[in-house]
Amino acid sequence: MNDTIRLFIGSSANGEDCEIEAAYEHSLRKNTKRNLEITWMRQTNDLDSPWGGWNTTRWSTPFSGFRWAIPEVCGFEGRAIYTDCDMINYRDIGELWDIDMNGKPLAAREGHRFGGHEFCVTLIDCKMMSNYVDLSISRMKNMDSLHHRLIDKFSGNASLVHSLDPRWNVLDGENYKIDEIWQLHFTKMATQPWKPAWFTGVAEEHPRKDIVAEFHRASAEALANGYVHSNINLEPVTYNIIGR
């Protein structure tokens, strides 16, 4: 396996998720000795960027559909990992990178929210994906239904998606103890403790205090180690998403 892990992380453009971004990146680098190449996928006003000019009107986050552009960004070569930004890592991400995908283009945990698989943590065979997604990024950008169409295509299809251990994508803790989790996902936007401004739904209290405490612990640890993310856009992006 290539020693450099290509990790693409979907996040907001204007610094709304900066606290969890810093906590997540610190946790990833803390837990691996592998070379980690991180691409933060953020909406931009630059139409020449892979992340600019998308029709996002049916997206629930500022980055929902970006994951499908990753194979082309990688030149349809090698592997890549996609994750949402709202996570904390506890296990060497290199172990996920090295998983045998059994000849399938994607690997994700099984779940029920999207018809069979949860693609918020996805291992991607970029070359193989070219056989199943016959769309260039320039065409993807104009399709408001793209994300949902591809979720429907792959989710629940065991011939195309290798099932990951669910501990790589533990949704708000589920029934796991903290020391059993490999990758914690604050998946319910209403209960995210950093309260991103782009979320337009009604905020709720997270049902597990220990999960909230993990965010605050990881955030403080990241800050103490010099990890500070902030708005990198000179011109703020205006979101056009469902946001719920």
Side-chain angles (χ1 to χ4, degrees):
M1 290 289 177
N2 189 327
D3 191 52
T4 297
I5 297 169
R6 297 186 295 191
L7 176 59
F8 290 78
I9 304 175
S11 192
S12 52
N14 301 318
E16 296 96 336
D17 293 293
C18 61
E19 293 175 272
I20 191 62
E21 287 179 14
Y24 184 30
E25 181 172 355
H26 174 254
S27 69
L28 285 161
R29 296 193 185 280
K30 170 185 173 183
N31 292 319
T32 188
K33 295 181 179 179
R34 304 276 286 273
N35 296 322
L36 190 56
E37 178 184 287
I38 296 178
T39 298
W40 294 93
M41 300 187 296
R42 309 179 191 275
Q43 285 191 43
T44 172
N45 297 314
D46 179 4
L47 301 183
D48 292 328
S49 166
W51 323 120
W54 288 70
N55 185 335
T56 64
T57 53
R58 295 182 61 187
W59 293 9
S60 58
T61 73
F63 50 85
S64 297
F66 285 162
R67 70 201 75 191
W68 307 111
I70 293 171
E72 183 177 337
V73 171
C74 292
F76 297 106
E77 295 181 351
R79 288 185 169 192
I81 295 173
Y82 166 80
T83 78
D84 296 349
C85 67
D86 45 6
M87 298 192 172
I88 298 173
N89 172 268
Y90 297 91
R91 192 178 184 91
D92 186 350
I93 199 73
E95 294 182 28
L96 173 60
W97 181 258
D98 292 337
I99 283 172
D100 183 354
M101 298 173 71
N102 293 310
K104 300 174 184 180
L106 299 175
R109 69 160 284 183
E110 295 179 13
H112 303 292
R113 294 186 304 160
F114 305 110
H117 288 95
E118 304 277 347
F119 291 109
C120 24
V121 173
T122 307
L123 180 61
I124 304 168
D125 184 316
C126 297
K127 182 176 181 179
M128 285 197 69
M129 278 295 284
S130 66
N131 298 321
Y132 298 99
V133 180
D134 186 24
L135 293 168
S136 65
I137 292 175
S138 60
R139 288 185 61 196
M140 289 183 183
K141 288 184 177 185
N142 296 317
M143 301 172 63
D144 66 341
S145 63
L146 170 88
H147 178 55
H148 300 285
R149 284 173 56 183
L150 291 177
I151 288 287
D152 290 343
K153 179 184 180 75
F154 290 103
S155 193
N157 190 333
S159 66
L160 296 180
V161 185
H162 173 70
S163 291
L164 293 177
D165 190 308
R167 288 174 291 181
W168 280 117
N169 183 14
V170 175
L171 311 178
D172 284 304
E174 298 180 64
N175 294 318
Y176 291 93
K177 298 177 181 177
I178 297 295
D179 61 6
E180 297 173 330
I181 297 172
W182 297 352
Q183 184 107 335
L184 173 60
H185 184 190
F186 293 89
T187 188
K188 187 174 181 180
M189 290 176 282
T191 63
Q192 290 176 338
W194 59 96
K195 308 301 181 189
W198 58 262
F199 173 65
T200 58
V202 178
E204 301 173 14
E205 185 176 350
H206 199 287
R208 283 185 56 172
K209 293 183 179 179
D210 60 335
I211 295 298
V212 174
E214 275 301 290
F215 162 69
H216 291 295
R217 178 203 59 77
S219 181
E221 186 177 293
L223 185 62
N225 282 276
Y227 285 80
V228 179
H229 282 221
S230 61
N231 179 14
I232 63 169
N233 291 287
L234 297 179
E235 182 181 354
V237 170
T238 300
Y239 301 122
N240 186 16
I241 59 175
I242 299 170
R244 57 175 173 80

